[in-house]
């Protein structure tokens, strides 16, 4: 094999710098673990210690690496990710002879989703402790482990952390992580191809089977049947099963009773939304992973506003990162205010909201009665929520001013216009109001999911 005459260390630095410049949002701190071995057969050969990292780069970042390699070298190079340094440089001039595998299987794990990167708080403490126990002692601690919770609360993160930890501590163990939809697809494909015995063989040979979003089995009778047998085979032979879902077993609609009882026979752990402190800690962790500095006042500001799910926190960090890059400045509070104010569009409240959705959210949020919102009463405790409701209706529905007025107790369009203007002007000076608006929009977005 020919390793061309390049300085591998320099190549590595150039490559990382190029990637950071062109794809800052993709880059992670652990990218620094990559080692450039050299150029061989028209490819930059990049070594990674961890298979999880290798798989991830191969699947998610290959094009960006190729593009960056070509830019910095001015040559039409490819990129080869490898997990072994045992390269026979002399004896094999043409074919690479890496002894390690390149991409081994069809499972994609994010290296970010490790226990180290998981912030523990009151809402996820039990799920986290159980996940650690299962990763350390598969099939000994809790079997099955069933983790449930709302969208973006860390279920996938915990499941993949179990996977990575178990793989690291026992490399001979056969571990498989798959989404329920992935399981479904593989099952249907096997049925169609008449290869059910291969399918069964594959799934029943795992020492640990981790299936994400198992609620997707809802209404899939045939797949439920197959999964039941897979589960029993694994369970009875002392293999670990880990599942996640958006609801506890008994609340998954259209799920067979026998599955409900199987799912509940180990440990069922729920995850609740993170409190303020946990959200702040998560923001800091995510920022550190991306190598960006977020001052305390900014993380507090973001955490106070985005309280529904953690994906929104990540969205905010990405947005801040983008803004900072755009004008080459550091992230500060003013920037956070632009990024996350109520009119910023960070919150993607759905388009097809009904006014009733808005009234419901307003009445719960401000603890006012629906009849009062629609009444002629004019005490401040009612007018303010009412105006906020009109503002939300104007921003998140397609109704005209007249129609909105009609819904809000038969008011005319000038009243609605006045309400919107008043909210717009107050929210620039009243931080609490701005924060409330963001949270209400969040709430509407989450309810509609
Ligand atoms: P779910 O599968 O429950 O919908 P995810 O596991 O995909 O949620 O989490 C969404 C995002 O939030 C991910 O980027 C994940 O890393 C992050 N996240 C969730 N909980 C935590 C936590 N406790 N600490 C750090 N990051 C978290
Ligand atoms: Mg998930």
């Amino acid at each position: 094999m020919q390793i061309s005459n390049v300085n591998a260390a320099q190549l590595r630095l150039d490559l990382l710098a190029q990637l950071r410049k062109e794809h800052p949002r993709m880059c992670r701190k652990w990218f620094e673990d990559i080692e450039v071995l050299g150029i061989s057969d028209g490819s930059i050969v990049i070594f990674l210690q961890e298979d999880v990292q290798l798989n991830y780069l191969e699947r998610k970042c290959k094009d960006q690496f190729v593009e960056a390699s070509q830019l910095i070298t001015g040559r039409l190079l490819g990129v080869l990710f490898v997990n072994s340094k045992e390269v026979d440089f002399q004896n094999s001039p043409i074919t690479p002879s890496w002894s390690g595998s390149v991409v081994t299987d069809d499972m994609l794990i994010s290296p970010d989703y490790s226990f180290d990167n998981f912030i523990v708080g009151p809402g996820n403490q039990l799920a986290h402790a159980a996940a650690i126990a299962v990763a350390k002692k598969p099939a000994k601690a809790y079997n099955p482990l069933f983790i449930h919770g709302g969208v973006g609360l860390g279920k996938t993160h915990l499941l993949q952390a179990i996977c990575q930890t178990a793989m690291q501590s026992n490399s001979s163990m056969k571990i498989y992580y798959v989404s329920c939809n992935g399981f479904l697809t593989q099952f249907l494909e096997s049925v169609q191809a008449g290869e059910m015995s291969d399918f069964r063989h594959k799934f029943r040979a795992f020492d640990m089977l981790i299936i994400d979003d198992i609620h997707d089995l809802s209404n899939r009778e045939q797949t439920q049947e197959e999964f039941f047998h897979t589960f029993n085979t694994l369970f009875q032979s002392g293999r670990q099963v880990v599942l996640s879902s958006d609801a506890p077993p008994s609340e998954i609609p259209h799920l067979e009773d026998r599955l409900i009882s199987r799912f509940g026979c180990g440990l069922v752990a729920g995850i609740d939304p993170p409190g303020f402190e946990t959200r702040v800690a998560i923001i800091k962790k995510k920022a550190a992973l991306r190598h960006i500095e977020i001052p305390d006042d900014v993380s507090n500001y973001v955490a106070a506003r985005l309280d529904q799910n953690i994906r929104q926190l990540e969205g905010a960090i990405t947005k801040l990162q983008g803004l900072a890059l755009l004008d080459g400045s550091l992230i500060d509070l003013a920037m956070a205010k632009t990024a996350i104010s109520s009119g910023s569009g960070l919150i993607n409240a759905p388009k097809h909201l009904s006014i009733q959705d808005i009234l419901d959210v307003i009445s719960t949020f401000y603890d006012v009665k629906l009849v009062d919102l629609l009444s002629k009463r004019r005490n401040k405790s009612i007018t303010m929520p009412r105006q906020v409701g009109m503002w939300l209706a104007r921003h998140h529905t397609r109704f005209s001013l007249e129609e909105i007025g009609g819904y809000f107790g038969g008011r005319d369009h000038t009243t609605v216009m006045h309400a919107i203007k008043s909210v717009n002007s107050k929210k620039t000076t009243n931080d609490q109001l701005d924060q409330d608006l963001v949270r209400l929009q969040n709430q509407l977005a989450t309810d509609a999911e």
Side-chain angles (χ1 to χ4, degrees), residues 156 212-213 311:
T156 297
D212 208 349
D213 294 328
R311 270 181 218 150

mmCIF file of all heavy atoms in Angstrom, residues 156 212-213 311, ligand 2:
data_model
loop_
_atom_site.group_PDB
_atom_site.id
_atom_site.type_symbol
_atom_site.label_atom_id
_atom_site.label_comp_id
_atom_site.label_asym_id
_atom_site.label_seq_id
_atom_site.Cartn_x
_atom_site.Cartn_y
_atom_site.Cartn_z
ATOM 1 N N THR A 156 -34.221 7.776 24.002
ATOM 2 C CA THR A 156 -33.258 7.249 23.028
ATOM 3 C C THR A 156 -31.832 7.389 23.562
ATOM 4 O O THR A 156 -31.006 6.485 23.428
ATOM 5 C CB THR A 156 -33.416 7.986 21.683
ATOM 6 O OG1 THR A 156 -34.732 7.720 21.186
ATOM 7 C CG2 THR A 156 -32.393 7.539 20.661
ATOM 8 N N ASP A 212 -36.418 0.763 20.553
ATOM 9 C CA ASP A 212 -36.822 2.124 20.875
ATOM 10 C C ASP A 212 -38.231 2.389 20.335
ATOM 11 O O ASP A 212 -38.573 1.910 19.253
ATOM 12 C CB ASP A 212 -35.824 3.082 20.195
ATOM 13 C CG ASP A 212 -35.687 4.405 20.935
ATOM 14 O OD1 ASP A 212 -36.487 4.671 21.840
ATOM 15 O OD2 ASP A 212 -34.758 5.161 20.593
ATOM 16 N N ASP A 213 -39.008 3.156 21.068
ATOM 17 C CA ASP A 213 -40.348 3.562 20.621
ATOM 18 C C ASP A 213 -41.271 2.379 20.353
ATOM 19 O O ASP A 213 -41.924 2.300 19.297
ATOM 20 C CB ASP A 213 -40.254 4.445 19.359
ATOM 21 C CG ASP A 213 -39.583 5.781 19.647
ATOM 22 O OD1 ASP A 213 -39.754 6.282 20.788
ATOM 23 O OD2 ASP A 213 -38.895 6.307 18.773
ATOM 24 N N ARG A 311 -35.180 18.657 23.036
ATOM 25 C CA ARG A 311 -34.804 18.946 21.648
ATOM 26 C C ARG A 311 -34.865 20.435 21.365
ATOM 27 O O ARG A 311 -34.094 20.962 20.582
ATOM 28 C CB ARG A 311 -35.730 18.213 20.690
ATOM 29 C CG ARG A 311 -35.152 16.874 20.390
ATOM 30 C CD ARG A 311 -35.973 16.072 19.448
ATOM 31 N NE ARG A 311 -35.895 14.714 19.901
ATOM 32 C CZ ARG A 311 -36.835 13.825 19.749
ATOM 33 N NH1 ARG A 311 -37.941 14.145 19.147
ATOM 34 N NH2 ARG A 311 -36.653 12.604 20.200
HETATM 35 MG MG1 LIG B 2 -36.479 8.676 20.911
#
